[in-house]
């Protein structure tokens, strides 16, 4: 009987005391959010209403099916499983944030639904539409990989300080650094800060050149911003005055007016505000050309999709990718 009692005591020590000692010496696993951190975790809805712009109508879509089709519309299937997972979490979070905001302020361009199918929100094509624009083997290969990545993160979203991230922005490529949100948009968000994005080899829109005569540039700016005439332009009246932390043009002098880099990008249709300028001399506005050399594509705030691909190829998982581009956030 005594031997039995001793055996029970030894077993209890192994099952209870030994794990506690390990925790004291080596700490707990911080990779998994605790109950306190996840107390505000939200459940995703079963469906979402989407405004189909070309059709001019609202459609109801299964929520997770919507997320899958957004990922397929926004990111190529061969960007890697972990990048696709990161995109799925960002897309799911974005949709949920739009649903939460909807009752407070309905979007002017699609007041009947919280999201639309254009890049005004996030790109969305139905499964049939996606199949129709891809090669014949895409459905069995590429789309299945996307579906699996989305299933692996089902219900997961981004949180900051226990609250849903309301601006999980993403874009194509950064040219090396992302931007602080306040340097591009009006709002300041602690999780949208400038970070490096070093693994973007092979990204589109690298060293992209666009040429305009000075008259073409002036006309474009005055068409977009008619209340800010530049006056007749000469090369010595055009200069970059400052840059953002992420390297994009902050303020640019153009003749009599100053413009933000984002305004120049919009008016001239540049891929990015991360640009340099040069001139080809001429005798007047019609002969003198300004050359913009830009890197990256998109607004530059949040997650770089090419950067996510690069991080995945260098061994990062989707939570590490998201934590890098959305500073201080957690996934659950």
């Amino acid at each position: 009987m005594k031997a039995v009692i001793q055996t029970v005591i030894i077993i209890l020590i192994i099952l209870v005391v030994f794990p506690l000692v390990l925790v004291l010496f080596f700490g707990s696993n911080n990779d998994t959010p605790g109950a306190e951190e996840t107390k505000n975790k939200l459940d995703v809805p079963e469906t979402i209403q989407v405004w189909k712009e070309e059709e001019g109508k609202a459609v109801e879509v299964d929520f997770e099916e919507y997320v899958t089709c957004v990922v397929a519309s926004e990111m190529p299937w061969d960007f890697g499983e972990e990048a696709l997972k990161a995109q799925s979490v960002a897309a799911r979070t974005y949709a949920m944030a739009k649903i939460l905001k909807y009752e407070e302020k309905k979007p002017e361009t699609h007041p009947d639904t919280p999201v639309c199918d254009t890049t005004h929100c996030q790109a969305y094509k139905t499964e049939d539409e996606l199949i129709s624009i891809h090669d014949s083997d895409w459905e069995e290969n590429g789309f299945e990989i996307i579906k699996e990545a989305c299933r692996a993160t089902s219900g997961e979203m981004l949180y900051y300080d226990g609250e849903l991230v309301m601006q999980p922005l993403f874009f194509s490529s950064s040219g090396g650094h992302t931007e602080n949100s306040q340097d591009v948009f009006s709002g300041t968000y602690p999780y949208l800060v400038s970070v490096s994005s070093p693994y973007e080899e092979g990204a589109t829109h690298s060293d992209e050149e666009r040429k305009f005569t000075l008259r073409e540039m002036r006309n474009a700016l005055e068409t977009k911003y008619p209340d800010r005439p530049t006056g007749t332009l000469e090369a010595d009246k055009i200069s970059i005055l400052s840059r953002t932390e992420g390297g994009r043009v902050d303020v640019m002098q153009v003749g009599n007016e100053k413009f933000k880099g984002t305004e120049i990008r919009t008016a001239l249709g540049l891929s990015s505000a991360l640009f340099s300028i040069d001139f080809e001399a001429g005798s007047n506005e019609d002969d003198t050309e300004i050359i913009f050399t830009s890197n990256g594509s998109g607004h530059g705030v949040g997650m770089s999709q090419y950067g996510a691909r690069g991080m995945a190829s260098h061994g990062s998982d989707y939570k590490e990718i998201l934590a890098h581009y959305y500073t201080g956030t957690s996934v659950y």
Side-chain angles (χ1 to χ4, degrees), residues 7 16 45 53 58 62 66 70-71 73 96-97 131 147 166 201 234 249 260 275 284 325 331:
T7 301
V16 179
E53 185 67 30
D62 176 87
Y66 166 78
V70 166
V71 174
S73 302
M96 192 67 185
I131 292 170
K147 285 180 178 179
M166 299 302 284
E201 298 87 352
E234 298 173 0
V249 173
K260 290 184 67 64
F275 60 76
N284 54 46
Y325 286 109
V331 178

Side-chain angles (χ1 to χ4, degrees), residues 194-209:
S194 180
V195 299
S196 65
S197 187
Y199 305 124
E200 297 197 18
E201 298 87 352
T204 57
H205 305 288
S206 296
D207 294 323
E208 185 174 81
E209 282 194 4

Side-chain angles (χ1 to χ4, degrees), residues 4-35:
V4 172
I5 294 173
Q6 288 176 333
T7 301
V8 171
I9 292 172
I10 291 171
I11 292 172
L12 288 173
I13 290 172
I14 293 172
L15 294 177
V16 179
V17 178
F18 187 62
L20 289 174
V21 171
L22 287 177
V23 169
L24 288 173
F25 275 94
F26 298 104
S28 60
N29 182 3
N30 291 321
D31 292 336
T32 304

